[in-house]
Amino acid sequence: MRVMVIVKASKDSEAGIMPGQKLLEDMGKYNEQLVKAGIMLAGDGLHPTSKAKRVRFSGDKRAVIDGPFSETKELIAGYWIWQVRSMEEAVEWVRRAPSPHPGSETEIEIRPVFEAEDFGKEFTPELRAQEDRIRAEIERKKS
Amino acid sequence: MRVMIIVRANRNSEAGHMPGPDVLAQMQKFNDEVAAAGVLVGMGGLQPSANGKRVKASGGKRMILDGPFAETKELIAGYAIWEVASMDEAMEWVARFPDTGEDDEIEIRPMYDHGPCGHRAETAHAAKPIAAE
């Protein structure tokens, strides 16, 4: 199964304060372990929401809202995508992660990602073929 | 530049209601176009937070919380990573996002390109063959 591991924002990440050398080193080591264990599919950090936008969809209307957004604790600062056997394995790995915001309380959320079979028969053979094409395009872009 | 497209959760996604065939087909068509334009780097839909967990780090302590989590509007239901020339280009693609018939909110966030994590993403791609999907 794939999981998305979500690192929540903090006052510092929203202020655009970059991590210090110690955290960069700890995170580097940790990420190396993830790669060696073969579970790391992707991982990235996001700029503060002062550089972000939101688009609100309501019927035919589209409203564009400029950042920053206020609810810091519910915002995202970064994420990983992991390939794991179970939620338990994911939790074990998260326990070993360096705290992304040292000195302050942090929450990391782990969410299973939908796979094609989760969509049932609504996900027709045609849609599956299309999905395969999209994934192939993504792979081509990576290589 | 790379941007992360964050699709916010709503009552239906949190209840685990899967999209109907029309919405699925429109969404796939949209993703197909984004991929064909060479913009799509990654994407995924998330199961409801009822299937999720949180790890709370406080000092040296790690506490595990089981989902579901209450603040529906701030939860995430899906994401995509796009490679675009500018935020404006990202906004143009978002404007073409299919109408799901529900009130949706999509957040567009620029990603750090050469941070610790940006590097890691490249390593991750190199490690891809090991991590069989």
Side-chain angles (χ1 to χ4, degrees):
Chain A
M1 70 187 288
R2 284 177 303 152
V3 293
M4 183 177 204
V5 180
I6 303 168
V7 177
K8 302 272 169 180
S10 69
K11 222 181 280 181
D12 280 359
S13 72
E14 275 296 284
I17 296 170
M18 302 305 273
Q21 189 184 341
K22 167 87 169 70
L23 178 55
L24 285 178
E25 284 171 3
D26 288 351
M27 211 44 104
K29 258 184 240 161
Y30 177 68
N31 282 323
E32 229 158 47
Q33 289 170 7
L34 293 172
V35 171
K36 269 192 201 138
I39 72 173
M40 172 89 117
L41 297 181
D44 280 291
L46 304 186
H47 281 280
T49 63
S50 54
K51 297 187 180 169
K53 289 178 189 295
R54 284 183 180 174
V55 177
R56 189 172 287 159
F57 291 65
S58 185
D60 290 340
K61 274 183 259 164
R62 306 278 186 274
V64 179
I65 306 149
D66 288 321
F69 308 117
S70 54
E71 62 292 7
T72 306
K73 272 186 67 177
E74 303 308 338
L75 296 170
I76 290 179
Y79 77 98
W80 288 279
I81 307 291
W82 292 347
Q83 177 79 46
V84 288
R85 276 184 302 275
S86 62
M87 282 296 276
E88 287 67 33
E89 188 187 357
V91 168
E92 276 319 303
W93 276 104
V94 170
R95 274 174 178 281
R96 293 161 56 184
S99 177
H101 310 302
S104 58
E105 216 178 58
T106 307
E107 253 178 42
I108 296 182
E109 187 171 310
I110 305 149
R111 296 273 297 277
V113 174
F114 281 121
E115 304 292 354
E117 51 272 23
D118 295 318
F119 290 90
K121 65 177 188 328
E122 308 280 24
F123 204 56
T124 60
E126 292 75 26
L127 288 177
R128 275 175 192 255
Q130 192 173 36
E131 174 80 8
D132 291 343
R133 215 165 49 234
I134 294 169
R135 297 278 168 201
E137 193 66 50
I138 292 174
E139 284 310 310
R140 198 161 37 245
K141 196 170 156 53
K142 276 181 191 168
S143 56
Chain B
M1 69 186 288
R2 284 176 310 147
V3 294
M4 184 174 202
I5 308 300
I6 302 168
V7 179
R8 296 277 153 190
N10 61 26
R11 216 178 293 172
N12 277 332
S13 69
E14 274 297 283
H17 294 156
M18 303 305 269
D22 289 354
V23 171
L24 263 184
Q26 283 178 48
M27 205 57 87
Q28 285 294 82
K29 186 168 170 281
F30 175 73
N31 283 324
D32 212 1
E33 286 168 16
V34 181
V39 166
L40 192 61
V41 178
M43 61 173 186
L46 305 188
Q47 294 183 20
S49 74
N51 297 341
K53 289 180 189 292
R54 285 182 179 174
V55 178
K56 193 182 224 171
S58 182
K61 272 181 265 165
R62 300 276 190 278
M63 202 168 83
I64 297 175
L65 313 169
D66 288 321
F69 307 114
E71 63 293 7
T72 304
K73 274 187 65 179
E74 303 307 339
L75 293 170
I76 288 178
Y79 77 96
I81 311 291
W82 292 348
E83 174 86 49
V84 286
S86 63
M87 279 294 271
D88 289 341
E89 189 192 346
M91 299 306 283
E92 279 166 30
W93 280 109
V94 169
R96 295 167 58 182
F97 203 79
D99 191 359
T100 61
E102 297 174 39
D103 289 354
D104 287 312
E105 203 166 278
I106 295 181
E107 187 172 312
I108 302 102
R109 293 273 296 276
M111 291 164 65
Y112 285 112
D113 261 336
H114 296 293
C117 301
H119 276 301
R120 246 25 69 53
E122 282 161 33
T123 328
H125 295 164
K128 188 90 190 216
I130 308 166
E133 257 180 83

